[in-house]
Amino acid sequence: MEQLMRASDAIKSFREARLSALRSPTEFFDFQRVSRPADLNTATSRISYNTRYFSGNYGLIVIILAIYALLSNTWLFFALVFLVGGFALINKFAPEPTQVGDYVVTQKSLYITLFCIGIPLLILSGPFTTLFWLVGASGIVIIGHAIMIEPGVESEYAAVEGQV
């Protein structure tokens, strides 16, 4: 019950911290503000400002791409479900040792069996390829958006707010 309360508190804090930082889709996809930066300094300042300003939207993009990566790599999805589900089932249904014939099945032996099957399955599913794809795809989308969107008028006053 305590873990359920902790999970509920974690979800609430995530909603308050990240979802409050989400900008509206009309602001995020404002095509009137799209322009090519004049030089590297302009691009750097746009990246610096836009990654802070649209941080919630960029986090949502990473989450959507991660879900897509898991759904498109069925072996990785199956391996993660197998490991997480096996861990949860062992914790729920086998907290104390059970006698099976002449052998005593302990929680430790169930974990060893789970990991001896699950870890090779996880390695064969290509998690590093998926991770590198996720980093590359989200980096290209986020940096591309941050470079192309001109900061709004409020960006001129961001430095003034920090001084007051």
Side-chain angles (χ1 to χ4, degrees):
M1 189 64 161
E2 186 177 326
Q3 288 91 6
L4 186 63
M5 293 300 291
R6 275 194 231 150
S8 174
D9 291 340
I11 290 171
K12 285 179 186 176
S13 67
F14 175 77
R15 283 183 185 165
E16 291 170 1
R18 285 287 150 202
L19 295 182
S20 64
L22 281 177
R23 304 294 175 182
S24 69
T26 56
E27 187 176 5
F28 189 71
F29 297 111
D30 188 7
F31 293 112
Q32 276 74 30
R33 291 177 34 199
V34 173
S35 72
R36 192 172 140 212
D39 57 1
L40 188 60
N41 288 335
T42 306
T44 306
S45 66
R46 284 184 184 185
I47 290 172
S48 176
Y49 178 77
N50 285 335
T51 51
R52 283 189 313 258
Y53 189 73
F54 291 115
S55 65
N57 297 68
Y58 293 152
L60 187 62
I61 287 172
V62 172
I63 290 170
I64 290 169
L65 286 173
I67 291 170
Y68 171 75
L70 274 178
L71 293 177
S72 65
N73 189 347
T74 53
W75 282 106
L76 180 61
F77 182 71
F78 175 73
L80 289 175
V81 167
F82 179 77
L83 284 169
V84 172
F87 186 76
L89 289 174
I90 290 171
N91 277 339
K92 185 172 184 175
F93 293 118
E96 59 270 339
T98 305
Q99 182 77 27
V100 178
D102 293 335
Y103 187 70
V104 177
V105 178
T106 63
Q107 197 174 35
K108 181 180 177 181
S109 64
L110 290 173
Y111 283 133
I112 290 171
T113 305
L114 175 69
F115 290 133
C116 285
I117 295 169
I119 297 298
L121 184 64
L122 183 68
I123 291 170
L124 290 174
S125 67
F128 298 114
T129 305
T130 304
L131 178 69
F132 291 139
W133 176 86
L134 179 62
V135 169
S138 59
I140 288 172
V141 169
I142 290 169
I143 298 298
H145 181 270
I147 285 176
M148 298 305 287
I149 297 290
E150 289 181 6
V153 177
E154 67 275 359
S155 68
E156 298 296 327
Y157 300 106
V160 176
E161 286 180 15
Q163 294 174 357
V164 175

